[in-house]
Amino acid sequence: MFAYIIPVFLTITVYCYVQHSLHIYNSPKGRYILSVVPFLLLIVMSIFRENIGVDYGGYELLYDNIKNGIQTNAEIGFAFLVRLIIAGPDDVKVLFAIFSVFTLINFIIGIRMLSADLTFSIFLFILLGYYNLTYNAIRYYYALSVVLLAYAFFLKKEYKKFLIAVIFATCFHKTSLIVLPVCYIFRNRSQSQKHYAYLILMAVAAIILKSPIRYIAFKIYPSYLNSVYDGGSASITNIFKCLFLLILGICFYGIVKKNDLLVFCHKLNIVALILYVCCSWIPELSRIGYYFNILSIIFIPDLVKEMKSETNKRIVSVIAVVSACLYYVLFLERAYAEEIHLLPYRTWLFYLN
């Protein structure tokens, strides 16, 4: 467990120092460099891992299948990257290294573009488990990192960049497409009140239209049909997280409604809650929900930043920090389990418990 806790503690400490002691933000390039550099220790841990992650062996097999010309369900972007690696070093470790670097850098840049408090958002990104989850499902989490960048473009009304980013993410995981209709619905700030009616309709439709939605889902990913994942699962943790954010948004709606980013995060959190409550039968539902509740790491710091009351700031910050720390400890305690397989941490050279 300490193989992760110590590097995480060091990383957060460096971010705090950089943000509060070094004010070297004279250029956009400098800001992004200072955003990424403190995370290098955790990036290196991800790059040099070996047999860490529940699907590490599955990706080794997928790599070999593409190499041997066996048909797979891998998206075009992933298959293309594998073929490039095969034509060069031909080592599956390079595949994991490339995804580690670009997934984490995308997340950090996305956070830099969206968050009013970089350190707080990075803290939540790590301690709410998102960092460690990137060790699994490398195609999906790369796509998720690109979607986070897409949200930044969307909120700046750079819709062409947003669309290109989502399509690019789809080249690595087709589920990214779900972002397009949801963002299309929420694109117009002036119709904000109508959006909540749409959310109610979405919840009702999710219950009534179960069969058509299942049909579409399995058309996209037929391998899930009648598999161990066909039956879905309800994540109580994700439901509680969404409820916490919903309560925050309601309690401080006077602040939320004045800020486009906060309103957007609030609505997407409700989308995630609807998915977790009404669509528990969808295979790998947590991953679908993450496209929307990933913005929790932006919503909480930005909401705290907008608060005028120092008491409210302290209360919300303490609740968020304590809850995240508790969650991370519980998460790491389960990390030895076969269905997670993040501990013991292994590199090419040694093992750590």
Side-chain angles (χ1 to χ4, degrees), residues 21-67:
S21 300
L22 297 177
H23 301 287
I24 313 172
Y25 290 93
N26 297 324
S27 67
K29 184 181 291 186
R31 286 194 292 271
Y32 286 116
I33 290 173
L34 283 175
S35 299
V36 173
V37 168
F39 210 85
L40 288 180
L41 174 59
L42 296 182
I43 292 175
V44 167
M45 286 185 65
S46 181
I47 290 173
F48 290 102
R49 73 187 190 275
E50 182 178 37
N51 195 27
I52 294 295
V54 68
D55 55 1
Y56 192 98
Y59 274 104
E60 288 180 318
L61 179 60
L62 184 57
Y63 180 94
D64 288 337
N65 286 343
I66 294 173
K67 179 178 178 179

Side-chain angles (χ1 to χ4, degrees), residues 85-260:
I85 296 170
I86 291 168
D90 192 12
D91 188 339
V92 71
K93 292 185 179 67
V94 176
L95 176 70
F96 290 106
I98 289 173
F99 273 100
S100 296
V101 170
F102 288 101
T103 298
L104 293 171
I105 288 178
N106 283 348
F107 272 122
I108 296 165
I109 292 175
I111 291 169
R112 171 77 271 176
M113 293 172 70
L114 290 167
S115 179
D117 189 331
L118 176 67
T119 300
F120 199 173
S121 288
I122 292 289
F123 173 87
L124 293 174
F125 172 70
I126 298 171
L127 273 81
L128 290 180
Y130 294 113
Y131 162 72
N132 287 105
L133 289 173
T134 63
Y135 285 39
N136 289 312
I138 58 176
R139 288 181 297 155
Y140 166 76
Y141 281 98
Y142 177 72
L144 180 61
S145 73
V146 176
V147 166
L148 186 65
L149 293 173
Y151 286 147
F153 297 136
F154 180 82
L155 288 163
K156 291 180 180 179
K157 302 188 184 304
E158 297 176 352
Y159 296 128
K160 288 183 179 178
K161 290 182 180 179
F162 164 74
L163 183 60
I164 290 170
V166 173
I167 291 173
F168 182 72
T170 304
C171 292
F172 292 87
H173 214 276
K174 294 191 285 285
T175 54
S176 308
L177 285 173
I178 196 172
V179 168
L180 291 179
V182 173
C183 287
Y184 179 79
I185 291 171
F186 296 148
R187 75 193 184 285
N188 194 335
R189 179 77 155 81
S190 64
Q191 297 181 348
S192 184
Q193 298 306 315
K194 290 183 180 180
H195 292 164
Y196 293 102
Y198 296 154
L199 288 166
I200 294 171
L201 289 175
M202 189 182 299
V204 173
I207 296 171
I208 295 175
L209 302 176
K210 176 179 176 179
S211 295
I213 294 172
R214 273 181 58 87
Y215 177 80
I216 294 170
F218 288 123
K219 276 292 182 181
I220 297 173
Y221 278 103
S223 60
Y224 283 121
L225 185 61
N226 297 322
S227 71
V228 294
Y229 302 106
D230 187 3
S233 61
S235 172
I236 301 301
T237 302
N238 283 323
I239 290 173
F240 277 128
K241 185 194 300 182
C242 291
L243 285 173
F244 173 68
L245 294 178
L246 178 63
I247 292 168
L248 270 185
I250 293 172
C251 290
F252 298 99
Y253 191 69
I255 297 173
V256 171
K257 68 180 181 180
K258 297 176 183 177
N259 185 297
D260 286 351

Side-chain angles (χ1 to χ4, degrees), residues 28 33 80 96 175 181 201 234 239 263 292-293 303 327 340:
I33 290 173
F80 178 74
F96 290 106
T175 54
L201 289 175
I239 290 173
V263 168
F292 306 111
N293 71 7
L303 178 60
Y327 175 84
I340 300 177

